[in-house]
Amino acid sequence: MMRWSLVSLVLALAVPVLGYHKPRPLNARYRRQAPTSVKNQTQSPFLNERSTDFAVNGSAIPLVDFDVGESYAGLLPIGNDTNSQLYFWFFPSTNPAAQENKEILIYLTGGPGCSSTGELLQQNGPLLWQPGTFQPVQNKWSWHRLTNVVWVDQPVGTGFSQGTPTATSEEDVAQQFLGFWQNFVDTFAVQGYKVYVTGSSYGGMYAPFISSAMLDRNDARYFDVSGMAIWDGLYSKIPLTEDIPVAAFVDKFKSVLPFNDTFTAAIKAIDAQCGYTAYLDEYLVFPPRGPQPSTLPGEDPATNLARPECALYLAVFLAATELNPCLNKAFDVTSHCPVLFDPIGTTLPTAFPTPYFDLPAVKAAINAPANTTWVFCQNPFTNPVFVNNTDRSLNAGPGSQPVLPGVIDRTGNVILGHGERDFLVLPDATLLTIQNLTWRGVLGFQQRPEAPLLIPAVDNANVGTAAAGFGVVGSSHAERGLTWFGAAMAGHLVAQDQPAVAFRMVEVLLGRVEGFESVEPFTVDMGGGDS
Ligand SMILES: *[C@@H]1O[C@H](CO)[C@@H](O)[C@H](O)[C@H]1NC(C)=O
Ligand SMILES: *[C@@H]1O[C@H](CO)[C@@H](O)[C@H](O)[C@H]1NC(C)=O
Ligand SMILES: *[C@@H]1O[C@H](CO)[C@@H](O)[C@H](O)[C@H]1NC(C)=O
Ligand SMILES: *[C@@H]1O[C@H](CO)[C@@H](O)[C@H](O)[C@H]1NC(C)=O
Ligand SMILES: *[C@@H]1O[C@H](CO)[C@@H](O)[C@H](O)[C@H]1NC(C)=O
Ligand SMILES: *[C@@H]1O[C@H](CO)[C@@H](O)[C@H](O)[C@H]1NC(C)=O
Ligand SMILES: *[C@@H]1O[C@H](CO)[C@@H](O)[C@H](O)[C@H]1NC(C)=O
């Protein structure tokens, strides 16, 4: 079924690589200074008879010229069904606090159908190979410096996972994940660990349903969910996520979306006719006046999408790519030409024709199935991860809103953030969703989020590798166990654009610092003026 979806847009508009941007030479000084704590695996609490088969030799990862440390990777079945298996790459933490507190954090990329292994390499993992850069480097912002982290390719059909996709809803996705998780906990003997579920983009569907299903099991040996964090998540129907906030977004980003007068007038006319900015004026207020309707203005209730004459986001996006053909798949409205070489991308220069994770030597090094073709994101039309490319929870329902309040109520520790430059999932959509949730008995935030998002000082002497802005880099707000942040200089890929914000988010999630307003330095040494 040819449904329009976020990822189909991403894929449809994927542009060929236009040039190879010669990167800066790698700075040897950074490499010496880079934090590295390669543990002796024979002393690891995670190494046992069952897990030994999954051990990865950290010095033998192709094209990586440093030791990534202790890690485990491979396939584990979903429950007792060995025909369906999920792929994981698990990095025990280099931080003693993670073992003392018995914590494990799960990271889920969105899509649907995009690989978490891919974002390990380009967002928040120990080895980082970002678009346009020459080779993998050590990532001082890797989340495993804070806690034990596992990246999982899910649901079935994604990345290196095995089996025939059977999911028709997020309830199905959650049951797949829980079956896998039981085996993971048993393999690494992490019974009784506090579980933190994190994700991005379509992870705004996955993470709440998985967290909720785990909490429903009421079994702290396997499923002690203690917090959840998501950025640039999709939680609600597409018109709310894209069409309703788009005119306001265009207005805010005039300098990089310089539409001509005719088109600007057309946007205003459609916006007025379909009632979009009027909807923001009515519902994006603090405190909210009341719950939002279940059918949105401009929506066709048969598809849950905007009616053709109200499909404002698509019109704006297509016009934007006329002005800026390198709009980077909408991940960041400020992106521009040239399109950078992407080692995991769908378009690669002939000098590097295969995505990194599809190289046979890479698969062998990380216990990945040799006979599975790895792509970062599955094409939803040819290889959907939901049967008929339809996730009932979104295509026929209000998204993850039905389960989000229960996760906040039961954990008191949920973070929903957004990169303000995201032109794929628009930032106002997260706030609109929050204003339609009732948790701890009250609807929405009572106050407008305008506290600072504070990042402690960072040493940026070497901007060639892991530079990150600091100071007040956006806004934040917390009420009744739910925390918001808006990262002013990040797009859809927050950890790639603002790694310090993503790192701070994990510190807040784990309770290592009070919140985003805290002036405390980072809790691990960042090798700069912060300690
Ligand atoms: C790792 O630890 C074991 C047991 O303590 C020890 O025998 C071995 O020499 C250590 N290996 C390295 C490389 O440090
Ligand atoms: C890990 O890989 C390195 C580099 O190929 C090799 O020298 C070393 O012997 C390997 N270690 C183990 C335990 O296989
Ligand atoms: C596998 O089956 C056994 C026996 O029915 C059951 O006890 C166990 O919980 C199952 N394992 C998983 C991971 O579902
Ligand atoms: C807002 O919440 C109500 C009550 O939970 C729900 O029925 C409605 O579908 C939601 N509206 C939107 C636009 O998501
Ligand atoms: C104005 O922009 C629209 C959308 O990109 C385009 O179709 C149209 O041709 C432009 N008009 C003029 C006069 O440039
Ligand atoms: C891939 O290989 C594994 C064993 O290495 C096998 O179990 C699996 O069935 C194979 N998958 C396909 C699609 O051939
Ligand atoms: C998927 O589509 C086929 C063909 O239209 C239909 O027979 C089947 O019932 C659909 N499955 C689901 C789960 O919607």
Side-chain angles (χ1 to χ4, degrees), residues 117 348 406:
T117 311
L348 293 159

Side-chain angles (χ1 to χ4, degrees), residues 216-350:
D216 290 349
R217 291 282 181 96
N218 209 10
D219 178 355
R221 276 172 56 78
Y222 289 88
F223 307 116
D224 187 12
V225 178
S226 301
M228 179 177 82
I230 301 163
W231 66 67
D232 298 56
L234 180 71
Y235 315 104
S236 295
K237 295 189 226 180
I238 302 296
L240 185 109
T241 306
E242 302 198 313
D243 298 291
I244 287 177
V246 74
F249 185 88
V250 167
D251 214 37
K252 181 171 175 183
F253 286 101
K254 277 201 264 285
S255 59
V256 286
L257 296 171
F259 294 126
N260 64 37
D261 292 347
T262 322
F263 192 70
T264 302
I267 295 175
K268 288 207 158 45
I270 297 171
D271 181 73
Q273 185 196 324
C274 300
Y276 290 158
T277 297
Y279 189 92
L280 293 181
D281 292 343
E282 177 73 15
Y283 294 108
L284 196 54
V285 292
F286 303 86
R289 295 197 179 101
Q292 293 163 43
S294 45
T295 300
L296 294 163
E299 179 184 349
D300 176 354
T303 60
N304 271 7
L305 301 175
R307 296 190 302 269
E309 73 277 15
C310 287
L312 187 57
Y313 174 82
L314 193 58
V316 167
F317 186 78
L318 294 175
T321 52
E322 278 175 26
L323 293 173
N324 177 6
C326 302
L327 194 58
N328 184 21
K329 306 170 187 176
F331 289 162
D332 182 342
V333 71
T334 69
S335 60
H336 50 76
C337 293
V339 172
L340 300 178
F341 157 68
D342 182 358
I344 66 163
T346 49
T347 52
L348 293 159
T350 47

Side-chain angles (χ1 to χ4, degrees), residues 110-127:
C114 297
S115 159
S116 299
T117 311
E119 291 203 345
L120 180 163
L121 191 72
Q122 296 203 326
Q123 291 229 52
N124 51 10
L127 59 160

